[in-house]
Every structure is written in structure tokens, then in C-alpha cells.
Amino acid sequence: MSAATSEGRRPARTRILETAARLFYAEGVHAVGIDRIIAEAGVAKATFYHHFPGKDDLVRAYVNEQSAAQRATVAAMGIESPRERLHAVFTYMCDFGSGPGYRGCPFVNTSAEYPDPAHPVRQAIAEHRRWNRDLYRDLLAADGHPDAERTADILLLLRDGIAVGFEQEDHATVRTATEEALARVLR
Amino acid sequence: MSAATSEGRRPARTRILETAARLFYAEGVHAVGIDRIIAEAGVAKATFYHHFPGKDDLVRAYVNEQSAAQRATVAAMGIESPRERLHAVFTYMCDFGSGPGYRGCPFVNTSAEYPDPAHPVRQAIAEHRRWNRDLYRDLLAADGHPDAERTADILLLLRDGIAVGFEQEDHATVRTATEEALARVLR
DNA sequence: ACGGTACCAGACAGGTCTGTCTAGTCTGAA
DNA sequence: TTCAGACTAGACAGACCTGTCTGGTACCGT
């Protein structure tokens, strides 16, 4: 009996994506080979190449998966006011950044390994960033902020700073700095 | 006659470091192999391993070199007032980020390829960040800012945001957002 | 003249990378 | 029962990786 399908194991594609996400995030894209992913996912090589034409396609799927997860997290937040919602987003970032497995922003990290902005992986990252920036703008506008566009650009700067900061600096310091920065930026 | 030393060519170590800096920055650390560095530097493999015990040592030297260059740039700035000096630092970042060869912050990018914070390369990066943060704090304190410590933390957040932003977003937008963010953060 | 130092060219070893291919197993639907 | 589709195991090719080693040349201070 094949253990793969009858024992209620998750489908191969899912296992590949989950394993890739874990390894890519923890160790970097170039540092993790296909052989390791298929070994830890318990998948045959032919199966991997059946689902993904090449490694770059897997990386793109990984990026899109991360983006979908973040959008779902935001969508699942209670219906607070726009302002509370905006703060909740940044609070969530701080909580996530303070967690034990934090290893920086998956989008920033992955982007660093793909120098060409025209590469499909980079374009997937750019799309996520557009969503993120638009989220800030919409929440600011809904809150009646007088300069939602420019303030959204500033919040995106802050977002990236937080993502890098929690990877590099003391967590408590970054959290305090984030709260204070938010207060100053939003006046 | 050996072309290496008599024709006024730069010493091998310098050529290695310059070539490594160019390639590491443009394409990433893992993506560039030793073979390519020694080929483009016009250096024998034995010479490379004579100067650097291994690739990680070269990466560490690369990071330290970038740090030294940034410190020298700041040191070479005219003796403006602390506040002008602080603005000049951020203006320089914007100019650099808008340049044609910009590929993100070398420290952030390199850090993304070294997951272990205890790694010597990461520690070299951390040392540079301490210098940077202390630079902000000292300039703020010299300017009489009432909360130099916390504001320096915020400026470090902003710095990282700028470094990522110029790589990912429209340059003019990031520049405008930076100026506005600086104004709001410094009140 | 001599010895140390820096340098060059390139073969080599042992490993890992992506991607292809063969060959066979299991499951579910027609 | 037959057949397509998803899956498994693993050999293989060709390139690239880091690092070692041999062997030889040029310069420089003594």
C-alpha cells in the first residue's frame, strides 16, 4: 500500500510547498537545494518536477503563498476602526518579529537573492508590496488622514525598517521605536 | 616580466577585494563563486587562498570594506552643524539609492544570505549597524534633541526602510517619503 | 648571489547543484 | 478490467562549488 495517498497524508504538492517555505525562509533560497526539499518533503524527484517546471517556479509559488498568508491574516482581523486596524497590522508585525523563528521578511530576503527586478520572482514580490502599500493608503484614507498617499509611502518605509530591525537588533528596542515612530508619523 | 607587479598593477589582494565587492553587491554572495572572482581579478587560485583562508573570510573583508567606505564618506563631509550633517547623511543615502547601480544595502543583502546571527559575517554587519546607530545618536545629541536615544532607533528603522525602498520602489517617491518622514520623526 | 615573498597557471579531488530519465506502484473512474 | 494520473525510487549527466596541490616566475632586501 502506498503510504503517499492512502494514509491521509497531504498531497505531494502541499508537502513540497510547506517544506520549501520552511527551508527557504530559514536558510535562504540559494542555500537550499531541490534534493533536500524532496528528501524532507518525502517526495520523489519526478513528482517535484511534475508539479514545478523548475526551482524558480517553486520560489515564485513560495512568495505567492507568503503573500496570500499575510493577506488572509489581515482579512481575518476583527472589524476594528481603520485606525485600530492600522495599529493592529503593525502590532502583528512586532509580535511576529519577536517570535522565536523570525528570520527577517521573506520578501526582502528573497529579493536580495534575485538581483534582476524583471525576474518573475521579483515581480511576485513587487505585487505583494503594492498590496501592502495600498492597504496602508486605504486604511489611512478611511480614517480621514489628510495625506494618505504620502503617509502610506512613509509607512512602507517603516514596515521595511521593522522587518530588518527585528532581524538585526534587540526586539524590545525595535518595538518601542516602532510605536514611537508610528505616533510621530501619524501625528 | 611578470605583469602583476612591474606594470603598476594594483596588488592582488586589492584586485580580489574590488572584484568581490563588485560581484557580491551586484549578484549576491552565494551566486558568485571563487573561480569567477579570481578570473575577473586576474589572480591565481593559490594567490587567493594565500590572502584569504576561505570564502567567508573574503565576505567578512567585503563587509568591513563597505563599512570603512561609509565611515570615510561621513567623515569627509564638511563640518556642517549636527542637524545639517544628519540631513546630509540621509540625502547622501537618497542620492546613492537613486544611482544606476543601486542594488540595495550591502549589509542587509549579505545578512539575508547568512541566517546565523553568530556567524562572523553577521557580527561584522552588526558592528557596522552599531556605528550607524551611534552616529545618529551622537548627531542628535549634539543638536540638543531631547530624546536622542529613541530617535536614533527610529532613524535606524528609517535607514533600513530607505535602503530597501530604493531597491523596490520608485526613486522619486522614496525620496519624497524620506524627506517627509525625516521631518515628522525629528518634529 | 641568495632566499623570502608574492605571484602566476592550471590540474585535481570530492562534493553539490539542477534537471532528465527509466521503471515500477497504487488508486479511482469509466 | 482497463487505463490515466499521481506517485515512488534512484541512476545519470553536466555543470559548478570550495579548497588543495604542484611547479614555476619575478621582484626585492641583504
Side-chain angles (χ1 to χ4, degrees):
Chain A
M1 168 172 47
S2 160
T5 49
S6 46
E7 283 176 18
R9 256 171 103 192
R10 316 167 78 80
R13 190 176 199 279
T14 307
R15 268 147 49 212
I16 293 170
L17 259 178
E18 286 172 351
T19 307
R22 176 171 53 84
L23 295 178
F24 284 164
Y25 182 65
E27 304 183 25
V29 171
H30 287 352
V32 175
I34 296 295
D35 280 346
R36 181 140 168 247
I37 291 172
I38 65 169
E40 296 202 18
V43 156
K45 208 161 197 178
T47 303
F48 171 81
Y49 281 102
H50 169 73
H51 287 290
F52 301 95
K55 189 182 181 181
D56 277 355
D57 300 86
L58 174 63
V59 178
R60 198 148 44 88
Y62 157 65
V63 169
N64 288 333
E65 193 85 350
Q66 297 297 311
S67 181
Q70 290 203 10
R71 294 178 201 221
T73 299
V74 171
M77 283 174 173
I79 3 171
E80 305 109 345
S81 72
R83 193 178 191 87
E84 286 168 334
R85 209 170 169 80
L86 192 59
H87 275 90
V89 169
F90 278 89
T91 300
Y92 179 80
M93 279 194 67
C94 288
D95 292 342
F96 184 66
S98 302
Y102 188 71
R103 241 272 297 157
C105 168
F107 305 98
V108 171
N109 288 352
T110 303
S111 177
E113 299 200 59
Y114 285 86
D116 179 10
H119 192 286
V121 168
R122 281 290 295 270
Q123 297 198 335
I125 293 169
E127 193 187 319
H128 174 79
R129 294 179 66 85
R130 275 193 297 276
W131 165 79
N132 208 340
R133 194 248 174 215
D134 289 350
L135 171 70
Y136 296 150
R137 184 204 54 198
D138 294 345
L139 289 175
L140 287 166
D143 189 50
H145 194 283
D147 190 2
E149 294 289 344
R150 187 163 305 177
T151 303
D153 293 332
I154 296 176
L155 287 186
L156 196 61
L157 285 184
L158 182 59
R159 185 217 97 101
D160 291 331
I162 294 166
V164 173
F166 274 107
E167 165 76 352
Q168 306 285 344
E169 313 292 333
D170 173 72
H171 290 173
T173 305
V174 177
R175 187 182 286 266
T176 306
T178 298
E179 287 162 5
E180 180 66 22
L182 256 190
R184 294 191 196 177
V185 166
L186 299 179
R187 290 222 178 75
Chain B
M1 168 173 47
S2 159
T5 49
S6 47
E7 283 174 17
R9 254 171 107 191
R10 316 166 78 80
R13 191 177 200 278
T14 307
R15 269 147 47 214
I16 293 170
L17 260 178
E18 285 172 351
T19 306
R22 177 170 53 84
L23 295 178
F24 284 164
Y25 182 65
E27 304 184 24
V29 170
H30 286 352
V32 175
I34 296 294
D35 280 345
R36 180 142 168 245
I37 292 171
I38 65 170
E40 296 202 19
V43 157
K45 208 159 196 179
T47 303
F48 171 81
Y49 281 101
H50 169 73
H51 287 291
F52 301 94
K55 188 182 181 182
D56 277 355
D57 300 86
L58 174 63
V59 177
R60 198 149 44 88
Y62 157 65
V63 168
N64 288 333
E65 193 85 349
Q66 298 296 311
S67 181
Q70 290 202 10
R71 296 177 201 223
T73 299
V74 171
M77 284 175 173
I79 3 171
E80 305 109 344
S81 72
R83 194 179 190 86
E84 287 169 333
R85 209 169 168 80
L86 191 59
H87 276 89
V89 169
F90 278 88
T91 300
Y92 178 81
M93 278 195 68
C94 287
D95 292 343
F96 185 65
S98 303
Y102 187 72
R103 242 271 296 158
C105 168
F107 305 99
V108 172
N109 288 352
T110 303
S111 176
E113 300 200 58
Y114 285 86
D116 180 10
H119 193 286
V121 168
R122 282 289 296 270
Q123 297 199 334
I125 292 169
E127 193 187 320
H128 174 79
R129 294 180 64 86
R130 277 193 295 276
W131 165 80
N132 208 340
R133 194 249 173 215
D134 288 350
L135 171 70
Y136 296 151
R137 183 203 55 198
D138 293 347
L139 289 176
L140 287 165
D143 189 50
H145 194 284
D147 190 2
E149 295 288 345
R150 187 163 305 178
T151 303
D153 293 332
I154 295 176
L155 288 186
L156 196 61
L157 285 185
L158 182 58
R159 184 217 97 100
D160 291 330
I162 295 167
V164 173
F166 275 107
E167 166 75 351
Q168 308 283 346
E169 313 292 333
D170 173 72
H171 290 173
T173 305
V174 177
R175 186 183 288 266
T176 306
T178 298
E179 286 163 4
E180 180 67 21
L182 256 189
R184 295 191 195 177
V185 167
L186 299 180
R187 289 212 180 78

